[in-house]
Amino acid sequence: MRVLFLCCVVLLLFGDAWSELELKGPEEESVRRKAVENEKEPDERETSNERKSAEGLLEESLEKDTKDKQVESEGSKLNGDKSVGNEILPDELQFMRSAIKIVKAPDLSQDKESHKMSEMLNEFLENHERMIQKMENEIDEINRSVPGDDDEADKPLTPEQIEANEAFDRAMAVLNKTKVDKLQGHKLMLEAANKGHPLARSHVAWAQLLGHPVHMDIESAKKTFLELAETGLPEAQMGLGFMYATGIGFNVSQGKALVYYTVAALGDNSWAQMALGYRYWAGVGVPNSCETALDFYRKVATKVANLVTFSGGAAVHRIRLLDEVENSGPSSGILDNDLIDYYQLLADKGDVQAQVGLGQLHYQGGRGIPLDHQKALQYFSQAANAGNAVAMAFLGKIYLEGSDNIKADNDTAFKYFKKAADLGNPVGQSGLGIMFLQGKGVPKDTAKALKYFTQAADQGWVDGQLQLGNMYFSGIGVKRDFKLANKYFNLASQSGHVLAFYNLGQMHAVGLGMMRSCPTAVELFKNVAERGKWAERMMAAHQDYRAYRFEEAFMQYALMSELGYEVAQSNAAFLLDRGEINLFKARDEELIRALQFWGRAAAQGYSAAQVKLGDYHYYGLGTLVDFETAASHYRMASEQQHNAQAMFNLGYMHEQGLGMKKDIHLAKRCYDLAAETSTDAKVPVSLALMKLQLLFKLESLKESPFNVLFSLDENIASNWDLYLITLLTVLLGAALYFRRPPGPGAANAVPTPQQQPQPQPRQQPPPDEVPLVERPSTSTSTADATPSSSTDNGSQPRRQQREDTPQ
């Protein structure tokens, strides 16, 4: 760079000197002399005034030339030459004199300097580009001339090595199928590993370390990784980095983990590149560097984008175990087997919507259903025969790309796309646009492609929006327009298309059509990188968790958390928090690791993880008790993510004065916000507000004559709420006891003299109510003195009383 800077300075000086040499003619000479005279000192100007001025010299020279030319013209006339074209007349001389006096010194240097500056910059950029190209060529030559590489490439393979390579290729063919048989693939991979294939050995070691799809064997995996790392295998170095980072098989060493990750990333290992990208983005063990994270994530995102098919790739549902447990049921992302059986029953009976839905599930996967294009073809064919346009369009997509057992057929794809497009289906319109754009089965026609893509995009179809963005970005069939490309890419990204995220990441990384933003580009590339094939391990970990294989689930979540998956970080912390794994020696060690995972998940915006961080600092789990730090985490979760639990906890800390100044008014405000945010918080908030009202009453009592109650023993005053709850419980029990119904023998009990009521004088009934037949008078006794009932017929209570009187 110093050499380039010196060259630039020399070119600038040389350009200034050259611009001065280029001034020619009488005008330039006079301008130069005037400039020199203006720069002279006063005494020098006086001496220069004695000399002839530039105008006088120019006038004399012109007069001399005129006389010479007149003599020559006269001589030519004598010789018979009639030409007078070179003759200068006095009027012309006067015009030249006036022109010289009027014209100011032109600022020619600025124009030439700006022009030369642009030329110099262009030349500098060209030289820089040539130097970069030269460096790349040198690097390629160095890589090609590494000792041992050519020898190994030229060295013929032994029969054992050829057999091992064939076994490895068979295993990869099984694992790369649309419908994967993991056990069969692992069996073939184990066969290749036994024959000494290094990649197969590393694959088996990863399966043993993660416990999927075989039983966990950490020591065997550790031994294999150490042997293969000495040979420079990036996959083995990635394995050692993961073990050092998580403290599994080794003591935790983030420095060694960083070394192994870096070496594996230089070997083009995608997992190591993602791990380093996340660490430099989040500042985990290394200084925060957005540009470094951008480089690593861009490499992985480019690989993922190159493998994205027309179907968009398999869908991956990220399920948080904490949300699943708090919702008291299975996650909504996973379809229940009974529901799938119900849909299949409807599809078998001819329900078109059920056939289309099952076809899409099997075509794209996800929600607990594996990819199976053969079943998707079956369901789509049934719905297409019934005239469904969506099924026709998806049949076109299947035949356009082909699959494991389905041969690609452009003619059949065009037929189904055309039928669907004629019915106004955007999927069919987008499919026709792709066929015309790429010339598959039809002549290439960008105008028709633009037409069909526009129709599909106007209906909100993601493929149409993406392809329109590509056309405007590359200028295919239209004038290049980065702003329109950005618009359509944003629309497609709202539907979650991987390529839309990738294209937006490229535009933000360079600044095409927008201001350059490194953080935005990193987030977009990170999203694309997390859509790779390795994301299937998230669903495998969830299946292990549902099968009560908690340690195997934790190992896979821990690996994904090292790669930067926020859901994996929260799930790993959840398993450690519940104490469901036995990989570590002590409970405190599990809590420390759980605190670390919660912190990483909270840094990526998961509000429940932020609340968990507050809980850990509040109760001292994996760290010391720190109410101020707990309150800060609760405040961040409540203000940034509007978490109701965090608002309630913050209100309680304001009420008790924990980690902050006691303020009942702020506590009530936090409780009200929690009730407004979540309906589930209304009941606890109501109880907390009742308690606050009681506190208000107690505060008012302090100013009354009853303030002597607050001068009780400190133990009673500090635990007044416990005593109050005990008193209320006793009063409630007493009330329930005295309100119980009487026993069965209470009616036969003879009242004591104290309990006997005094006889009351009998009132005479009105004359109209006197019975026709007067009842005979009977001997009165103590039992007959009981007052009659308030009913109209008073004889029945008395008769019952007489019957109950003991004989």
Side-chain angles (χ1 to χ4, degrees), residues 142 290 565:
I142 293 172
C290 181
Y565 287 79

Side-chain angles (χ1 to χ4, degrees), residues 334-344 367-369:
I334 302 297
L335 290 178
D336 189 71
N337 292 330
D338 295 336
L339 185 59
I340 297 174
D341 294 339
Y342 175 69
Y343 282 137
Q344 289 178 349
R367 306 195 68 175
I369 298 179

Side-chain angles (χ1 to χ4, degrees), residues 140 179 198 308 335 361 417 491 495 517 550 597-598 681 789 804:
D140 292 339
K179 188 177 180 180
V308 173
L335 290 178
L361 286 174
F417 280 145
L491 291 174
S495 300
S517 176
F550 299 128
F597 283 124
W598 285 128
S789 176
D804 294 339

